[in-house]
C-alpha cells in the first residue's frame, strides 16, 4: 500500500526520528526498481524486513527519472477520477518533487493477521483464505503499519503529519472497509506447533555442529540471520517474548554449556 504526495518531505535524519518496532533499518542512496539500488543522493530509507512488515520512504520523482518513466508518472499524477473537478486537475505541481510512502506486508504476515484477528461484533476470527476476501481489511493494515512506524518531531512527540496520514488517509477499496469492526492481531506459531518444534530441534542440532567445528556465537548468529528461514526462527522466539539479542545469548549459552559442562561438542 502506498501514499503518493507533494508538499512534504521526510526530515534529514529519518533514522533518528523514526520510532518503530522494526528489527531492521536500511539506508540506501536510492532506488531504480522495487528493489534497492542506487540513483543519486541518499533519499531513500527503509525500515523493517522484506519478510515481515516494511516501511519505505523515497523520492518518486527521482526514481521515475532514473528509470526514464517520468513522462508516464506525470500523466498519472495529473489524472483525475472526476474530469470536471478543476481543483483535482491542478493538484499536481510539476515543479515539486513527489514522495512515496509504502507499507509492504509479506504474505506470511497477511496469514498471521487472518489467523489472529477477530470481528468485534461477533468475536469470531476473520479467518480469510484468499487475498480477495482479505481486501476489506487493507484499511486496517494501513493504520496498523503506521502505528508500528511512528515519525517523531522530537523524543516523545509524534509528528502531526504522521498522525494525519495514519488517521485520515483511507485505502481505496472496491468493497466496504471492515477496519472499524476488527481487532487486528498477528498469530504466531509457538513451540507447541509443528513448525515450533522444528525450530527448537534445528537450533539444538545447529549448536551441536557449531561446537564441534569450534565456531563462535557471534559468527554463528550472523550466519543464522543470513539464512532464508531466519524469519521463521525469529518470529518463533518473538512469540516467546525473545528478541534477537535474546536469541544470540541463547546460542552463546548453549555453546558454552557444551564446552564447559561436557568439555566437548555433544
Amino acid at each position: 500500500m502506498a501514499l503518493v504526495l507533494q508538499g512534504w518531505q521526510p526530515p534529514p535524519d529519518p533514522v533518528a526520528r523514526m520510532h518503530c518496532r522494526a528489527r531492521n533499518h536500511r539506508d540506501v542512496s536510492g532506488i531504480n526498481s522495487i528493489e534497492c539500488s542506487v540513483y543519486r543522493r541518499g533519499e531513500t530509507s527503509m525500515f523493517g524486513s522484506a519478510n515481515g512488515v516494511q516501511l519505505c520512504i523515497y523520492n518518486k520523482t527521482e526514481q521515475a527519472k532514473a528509470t526514464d518513466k517520468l513522462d508516464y508518472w506525470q500523466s498519472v499524477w495529473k489524472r483525475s477520477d472526476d474530469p470536471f473537478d478543476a481543483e483535482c486537475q491542478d493538484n499536481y505541481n510539476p515543479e515539486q518533487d513527489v514522495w512515496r510512502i509504502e507499507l509492504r506486508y509479506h504474505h506470511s504476515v497477511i496469514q498471521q493477521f487472518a489467523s489472529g484477528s477477530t470481528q468485534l461484533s461477533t468475536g469470531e476470527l476473520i479467518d480469510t483464505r484468499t487475498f480477495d476476501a482479505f481486501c476489506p481489511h487493507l484499511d486496517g493494515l494501513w493504520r496498523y503499519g503506521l502505528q508500528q512506524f511512528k515519525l517523531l518531531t522530537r523524543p516523545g512527540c509524534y509528528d502531526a503529519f504522521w498522525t494525519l496520514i495514519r488517521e485520515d488517509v483511507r485505502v481505496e477499496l472496491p468493497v466496504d472497509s471492515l477496519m472499524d469492526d476488527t481487532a487486528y492481531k498477528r498469530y504466531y506459531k509457538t513451540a507447541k506447533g509443528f513448525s515450533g518444534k522444528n525450530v527448537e530441534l534445528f537450533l539444538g542440532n545447529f549448536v551441536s555442529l557449531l561446537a564441534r567445528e569450534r565456531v563462535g556465537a557471534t559468527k554463528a548468529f550472523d550466519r543464522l540471520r543470513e539464512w532464508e528461514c531466519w524469519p521463521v526462527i525469529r518470529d518463533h522466539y518473538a512469540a516467546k517474548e525473545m528478541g534477537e539479542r535474546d536469541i544470540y545469548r541463547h546460542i552463546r549459552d548453549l555453546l558454552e554449556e557444551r564446552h564447559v559442562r561436557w568439555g566437548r561438542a555433544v
Side-chain angles (χ1 to χ4, degrees), residues 28-33 35-40 44:
V28 293
S29 57
I31 60 175
N32 58 18
S33 70
E35 301 294 335
C36 296
S37 68
V38 176
Y39 59 73
R40 277 201 304 249
T44 298

Side-chain angles (χ1 to χ4, degrees), residues 43-209:
E43 296 180 342
T44 298
S45 190
M46 290 194 298
F47 301 86
S49 167
N51 293 309
V53 183
Q54 188 176 68
L55 171 71
C56 182
I57 304 174
Y58 64 95
N59 188 317
K60 184 63 179 178
T61 299
E62 293 291 341
Q63 188 261 1
K65 290 178 181 178
T67 56
D68 196 24
K69 293 183 179 180
L70 183 59
D71 289 340
Y72 166 74
W73 281 110
Q74 284 183 330
S75 69
V76 172
W77 297 330
K78 292 176 182 177
R79 193 180 304 158
S80 170
D81 292 334
D82 184 355
F84 300 102
D85 188 344
E87 182 179 350
C88 189
Q89 290 281 353
D90 296 333
N91 199 36
Y92 170 65
N93 181 358
E95 301 300 321
Q96 288 185 350
D97 283 350
V98 173
W99 287 83
R100 186 176 174 98
I101 300 173
E102 293 183 1
L103 277 173
R104 305 168 182 173
Y105 287 85
H106 192 263
H107 64 84
S108 62
V109 177
I110 300 298
Q111 182 58 56
Q112 289 174 343
F113 278 111
S115 301
S117 303
T118 56
Q119 293 179 333
L120 296 176
S121 57
T122 64
E124 298 178 352
L125 292 172
I126 62 174
D127 199 27
T128 53
R129 300 294 179 179
T130 65
F131 285 109
D132 181 60
F134 194 82
C135 187
H137 300 285
L138 295 180
D139 225 5
L141 259 63
W142 173 261
R143 180 170 293 184
Y144 176 92
L146 294 186
Q147 288 173 338
Q148 304 305 301
F149 303 94
K150 299 176 181 178
L151 189 65
L152 307 178
T153 55
R154 60 179 184 274
C157 182
Y158 295 125
D159 188 277
F161 166 78
W162 207 255
T163 301
L164 175 68
I165 64 172
R166 183 187 67 203
E167 300 296 333
D168 292 350
V169 170
R170 308 298 292 266
V171 180
E172 294 184 7
L173 301 173
V175 294
D176 292 336
S177 172
L178 296 178
M179 176 182 67
D180 294 332
D181 188 43
T182 308
Y184 292 100
K185 183 179 180 181
R186 295 169 65 178
Y187 168 76
Y188 296 92
K189 292 183 179 180
T190 64
K192 297 179 180 179
F194 177 74
S195 63
K197 293 178 181 178
N198 283 346
V199 170
E200 301 285 353
L201 289 172
F202 162 77
L203 197 65
N205 291 328
F206 178 64
V207 169
S208 293
L209 291 173

Side-chain angles (χ1 to χ4, degrees), residues 183-245:
Y184 292 100
K185 183 179 180 181
R186 295 169 65 178
Y187 168 76
Y188 296 92
K189 292 183 179 180
T190 64
K192 297 179 180 179
F194 177 74
S195 63
K197 293 178 181 178
N198 283 346
V199 170
E200 301 285 353
L201 289 172
F202 162 77
L203 197 65
N205 291 328
F206 178 64
V207 169
S208 293
L209 291 173
L210 294 172
R212 193 175 296 274
E213 297 298 322
R214 299 292 179 178
V215 177
T218 300
K219 185 176 180 180
F221 184 68
D222 290 341
R223 293 294 176 83
L224 186 64
R225 292 181 64 192
E226 295 174 359
W227 191 33
E228 288 80 1
C229 295
W230 166 245
V232 177
I233 298 171
R234 181 194 62 202
D235 290 346
H236 164 70
Y237 284 104
K240 301 173 70 173
E241 298 185 351
M242 293 176 63
E244 293 189 14
R245 189 66 182 172

